[in-house]
């Protein structure tokens, strides 16, 4: 009773067939039609597939996928929603990627910012901040492991070291990062001469202390040795995409274009890249 859904199902089947054909025999595709009250339907439900009403009589239909590998790892798409059609190829490729190599790459996250979110200050206090969205996204494809500033060696199973806003890094940690990079390790480094997310704790006895606190991060001892320089007295912005904000000018609200807060609308995003 849903011809549009049948067309979508045909597209999914054809795409899966292309994956299997291109795999050189490494992928096996099995298409199962779980008839009502059949053993196949029981297996579909047990596997986590979601039945949806197919007609006015209330018969259930299934349009999902169960992926397994030789070591019995499993990934499930409970139902292919038509409103997620643009994600279809991405979601299928990701499932195959995860099943073909069950070991997730390890990202060592070393940061002075609350990227993991913040707990309530005390029992009964308002909820703290949630984890940053980028951390939640990374955890879908990587094992994200927290590392502290102060360690003297990067664990040997870390594939990528992500250092965000390093401040007053002790010498032993500088040596550890240097050894990791010189040994062929991958480093993603985020440094900022003035991080708006670096929010020093408030001192009720000195309210100006937080405003005057140092919000600069750098890794100059290592960057100098590696021949890399970050200009801390310049910034890059785009007036055309600057977000309009309201500031206080001598007690009067004044709209200004904030060049470091870009508003990246659809014309500035690649339409063919999910």
């Amino acid at each position: 009773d849903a011809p549009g859904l049948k067309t979508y199902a045909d597209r999914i089947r054809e795409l899966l067939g292309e994956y299997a054909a291109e795999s050189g025999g490494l992928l096996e595709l099995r298409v199962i039609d779980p008839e009502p009250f059949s053993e196949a339907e029981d297996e579909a439900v047990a596997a986590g597939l979601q039945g949806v009403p197919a007609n006015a009589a209330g018969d259930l239909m299934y349009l999902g996928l169960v992926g397994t590998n030789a070591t019995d790892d499993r990934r499930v798409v409970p139902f292919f929603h038509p409103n997620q059609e643009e994600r279809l190829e991405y979601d299928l490729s990701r499932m195959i990627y995860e099943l073909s190599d069950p070991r997730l790459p390890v990202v060592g996250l070393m940061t002075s910012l609350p990227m993991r979110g913040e707990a309530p200050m005390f029992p009964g206090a308002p909820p703290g901040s949630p984890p940053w969205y980028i951390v939640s996204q990374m955890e879908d494809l990587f094992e994200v492991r927290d590392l502290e500033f102060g360690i003297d060696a990067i664990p040997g199973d870390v594939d990528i070291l992500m250092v965000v806003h390093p401040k007053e890094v002790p010498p032993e940690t500088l040596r550890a990062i240097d050894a990791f990079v010189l040994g062929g390790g991958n480093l993603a480094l985020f440094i900022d001469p003035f991080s708006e997310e670096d929010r020093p704790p408030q001192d009720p006895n000195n309210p100006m202390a937080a405003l005057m606190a140092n919000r600069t991060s750098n890794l100059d001892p290592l960057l100098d040795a590696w021949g890399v320089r970050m200009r801390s007295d310049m910034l890059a912005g785009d007036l055309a995409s600057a977000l309009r904000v309201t500031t206080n000018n001598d007690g009067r609200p004044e709209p200004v274009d904030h060049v470091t807060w870009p508003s990246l609308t659809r014309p500035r995003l690649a339409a063919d890249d999910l």
Side-chain angles (χ1 to χ4, degrees):
D1 292 352
L5 201 56
K6 183 181 185 305
T7 301
Y8 185 35
D10 290 340
R11 188 195 162 205
I12 294 171
R13 184 182 301 199
E14 290 172 0
L15 184 59
L16 288 169
E18 290 182 34
Y19 276 100
E22 292 289 340
S23 74
L26 295 177
L27 281 177
E28 176 189 351
L29 173 63
R30 290 195 297 149
V31 180
I32 300 172
D33 183 7
E35 297 287 344
F37 309 109
S38 66
E39 183 178 346
E41 184 182 43
D42 293 340
E43 292 176 352
V45 173
L49 299 191
Q50 174 187 346
V52 299
N55 51 36
D59 294 326
L60 296 182
M61 57 170 254
Y62 298 86
L63 183 58
L65 179 67
V66 179
T68 61
N69 62 14
T71 57
D72 293 330
D73 293 303
R74 174 176 292 198
R75 299 289 186 275
V76 178
V77 178
F79 185 80
F80 286 107
H81 290 276
N83 60 1
Q84 295 291 311
E85 184 172 1
E86 66 177 10
R87 294 181 53 94
L88 178 60
E89 186 173 345
Y90 172 83
D91 288 338
L92 292 177
S93 298
R94 177 172 152 184
M95 173 186 282
I96 295 170
Y97 165 74
E98 292 176 348
L99 289 170
S100 63
D101 186 1
R103 177 193 175 272
L104 295 178
V106 177
V107 175
L109 177 60
M110 189 180 293
T111 180
S112 64
L113 300 177
M115 296 179 65
R116 287 289 195 176
E118 295 178 296
M121 297 182 64
F122 52 86
S129 60
W132 289 16
Y133 185 67
I134 188 174
V135 174
S136 303
Q137 289 288 293
M138 286 165 50
E139 288 181 325
D140 285 343
L141 291 174
F142 305 100
E143 177 189 339
V144 182
R145 186 181 305 166
D146 295 318
L147 302 177
E148 300 291 336
F149 289 111
I151 61 174
D152 57 9
I154 307 301
D157 61 343
V158 169
D159 300 289
I160 305 165
L161 180 62
M162 184 173 180
V163 179
V164 183
H165 203 51
K167 298 176 64 177
E168 301 174 359
V169 181
E172 60 270 22
T173 304
L174 289 174
R175 289 192 292 269
I177 296 173
D178 189 42
F180 177 79
V181 171
L182 296 181
N186 300 289
L187 171 67
L189 174 62
F190 299 84
I191 47 182
D192 195 336
F194 187 88
S195 171
E196 294 180 325
E197 291 299 322
D198 187 350
R199 300 170 186 172
Q202 299 286 338
D203 182 356
N205 299 318
N206 186 4
M208 294 298 294
L211 293 175
M212 304 300 293
N214 176 25
R215 298 186 181 190
T216 298
S217 59
N218 68 74
L219 216 59
D220 288 348
L222 294 184
L223 296 185
D224 291 343
W226 297 339
V228 179
R229 182 187 180 201
M230 185 195 75
R231 293 290 299 269
S232 60
D233 59 343
M234 299 183 70
L235 60 85
D238 179 11
L239 281 172
S241 64
L243 189 68
R244 178 60 62 94
V245 300
T246 301
T247 62
N248 189 325
N249 185 7
D250 291 332
R252 299 189 308 274
E254 179 180 342
V256 297
D257 292 327
H258 199 316
V259 295
T260 60
W261 287 2
S263 178
L264 301 178
T265 52
R266 187 165 294 277
R268 292 180 172 84
L269 301 175
D272 58 349
D273 190 322
L274 185 62

